[in-house]
Amino acid sequence: MGRTRSRSRIAALAAASVLVLGPTLVACGDGDSGDAESTATATAAAEPADPAAARAEITQNWTDFFDPDTPASERAELLENGEQMRPALEALLTNQAAAAATAKVETIEFTSANDAKVTYDLLVSGAPAVPDAQGTSVFQDDTWKVSVKTLCGLAQLSGATVPGC
């Protein structure tokens, strides 16, 4: 019976790892006792202390990052490793479609206290270009930022060659 329970737990943890909770859940799933306590710990670690405030900040920062009127210097502040990635950001913004892109955040799902999966519509000149696009946000330097992974994915989508991606 213990072995069957262990296999069920492993299957559940594998499914949850799709949500990028791997390191937290692996640590919680190693023991035989305290299953309810381990699950509660994993759930608490899967989102920031104030999820509503984090969602609001992510939405605002993504809106600002994808606003064509936001200067590259301000966009860099909203990008993970922004100063290091500034050449990549500036290269991407030379692409006319990328420079005109805006984003409308649809859903935010926390995968840890410092990471979130963001589903958004990418609009170019106000017209839907990529509905239900997937990106990630990271909490860095006390700010929720657009991830480098997201920037590089957009660069690839636009066909731009971007340094650092």
Side-chain angles (χ1 to χ4, degrees):
M1 169 126 170
R3 188 171 205 141
T4 302
R5 181 185 299 172
S6 177
R7 285 186 183 154
S8 296
R9 185 182 308 148
I10 291 169
L13 292 176
S17 70
V18 172
L19 300 175
V20 194
L21 292 173
T24 302
L25 291 176
V26 168
C28 293
D30 288 341
D32 291 323
S33 62
D35 289 326
E37 189 175 317
S38 294
T39 301
T41 301
T43 301
E47 60 184 32
D50 187 346
R55 279 186 179 88
E57 183 179 344
I58 290 168
T59 300
Q60 184 62 57
N61 290 351
W62 277 60
T63 300
D64 292 347
F65 181 82
F66 286 100
D67 183 339
D69 294 330
T70 301
S73 60
E74 289 178 32
R75 289 185 192 209
E77 293 174 12
L78 300 172
L79 178 64
E80 175 186 21
N81 303 326
E83 278 309 308
Q84 295 167 332
M85 293 302 295
R86 192 169 178 161
L89 176 62
E90 290 173 351
L92 182 60
L93 293 177
T94 63
N95 178 290
Q96 188 175 17
T102 59
K104 180 181 178 215
V105 174
E106 296 294 330
T107 62
I108 298 167
E109 180 182 340
F110 295 103
T111 55
S112 77
N114 297 314
D115 298 284
K117 183 171 90 172
V118 179
T119 301
Y120 63 103
D121 293 336
L122 186 65
L123 310 170
V124 174
S125 299
V130 184
D132 296 324
Q134 299 291 311
T136 54
S137 190
V138 297
F139 191 66
Q140 182 182 64
D141 301 325
D142 295 324
T143 303
W144 282 97
K145 299 181 179 189
V146 175
S147 70
V148 168
K149 179 179 171 182
T150 300
L151 178 78
C152 290
L154 291 172
Q156 183 179 18
L157 182 66
S158 74
T161 302
V162 177
C165 288

